[in-house]
């Protein structure tokens, strides 16, 4: 028969120490992971939105037709349409926590057949507790994003 004293294994205290260290590491990873996720959501939104705006401008210039960028704030998506109901080019959904607020920029954003924008202005983007500003300049239709 095997004696209990000669059996090899871990004590309850050792097992609890290892388990508590594992739980602490998991907790730190979990809390940092959500902050990284929130930052990546807004970064991805701006990357995609900028690319789609450039695409709308280039499509208008190359195909010599007016292009509109419609924003549906209630349904959290935007859509790029060709003029005269010729069809949509792009429809992109975005996170429901992102709020697009046109201020001096009227919606839809319109690109003329030469690639210029109809009207310059500003659009504010709110996400969680951060606010960003997109400024559209008159003329060549370029824009810039600023964090407030």
């Amino acid at each position: 028969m095997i004696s209990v004293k000669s059996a090899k294994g871990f004590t309850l205290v050792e097992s609890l120490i290892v388990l508590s260290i594992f739980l602490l590491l998991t907790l730190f990873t979990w809390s940092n992971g959500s902050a990284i996720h929130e930052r990546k959501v807004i970064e991805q939104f701006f990357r995609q939105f900028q690319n789609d705006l450039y695409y709308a401008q280039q499509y208008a210039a190359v195909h010599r037709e007016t292009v509109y960028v419609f924003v549906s704030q209630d349904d959290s998506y935007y859509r790029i349409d060709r003029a005269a109901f010729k069809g949509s080019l792009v429809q992109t959904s975005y996170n429901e926590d992102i709020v697009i607020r046109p201020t001096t920029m009227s919606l839809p954003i319109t690109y003329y057949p030469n690639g210029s924008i109809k009207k310059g202005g500003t659009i504010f983007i709110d996400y969680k507790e951060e606010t960003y500003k997109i400024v559209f300049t008159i003329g060549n239709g370029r824009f810039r994003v600023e964090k407030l």
Side-chain angles (χ1 to χ4, degrees), residues 83-145:
F85 302 105
K86 292 181 182 175
S88 291
L89 299 172
V90 173
Q91 181 169 328
T92 304
S93 298
Y94 56 86
N95 189 298
E96 60 192 21
D97 293 330
I98 296 173
V99 177
I100 299 176
R101 293 184 295 124
T103 52
T104 59
M105 181 79 176
S106 59
L107 295 177
I109 301 167
T110 305
Y111 287 102
Y112 288 130
N114 64 358
S116 66
I117 198 163
K118 178 179 179 181
K119 180 180 183 257
T122 303
I123 294 177
F124 284 99
I125 309 288
D126 298 322
Y127 178 66
K128 303 282 182 177
E129 302 189 5
E130 297 176 344
T131 301
Y132 299 85
K133 176 171 73 169
I134 303 177
V135 179
F136 292 86
T137 56
I138 244 345
N140 61 5
R142 293 296 176 187
F143 57 91
R144 67 182 184 276
V145 177

Side-chain angles (χ1 to χ4, degrees), residues 50-66:
Q50 288 175 334
N51 288 339
D52 288 343
L53 288 175
Y54 287 135
Y55 174 69
Q57 183 182 29
Q58 291 172 357
Y59 189 93
V62 168
H63 294 280
R64 298 281 183 211
E65 59 182 86
T66 304

Side-chain angles (χ1 to χ4, degrees), residues 20-56:
S20 63
I21 291 172
F22 174 75
L23 289 175
L24 284 174
L25 290 174
T26 304
L27 177 68
F28 290 137
T29 305
W30 183 273
S31 63
N32 289 339
S34 63
I36 292 170
H37 173 69
E38 287 180 7
R39 189 172 63 246
K40 290 298 180 186
V41 166
I42 195 67
E43 286 176 8
Q44 174 61 30
F45 168 76
F46 278 117
R47 187 177 315 116
Q48 186 65 49
F49 193 58
Q50 288 175 334
N51 288 339
D52 288 343
L53 288 175
Y54 287 135
Y55 174 69

Side-chain angles (χ1 to χ4, degrees), residues 56-76:
Q57 183 182 29
Q58 291 172 357
Y59 189 93
V62 168
H63 294 280
R64 298 281 183 211
E65 59 182 86
T66 304
V67 174
Y68 302 98
V69 180
F70 294 96
V71 177
S72 175
Q73 296 153 331
D74 296 332
D75 297 326
S76 299

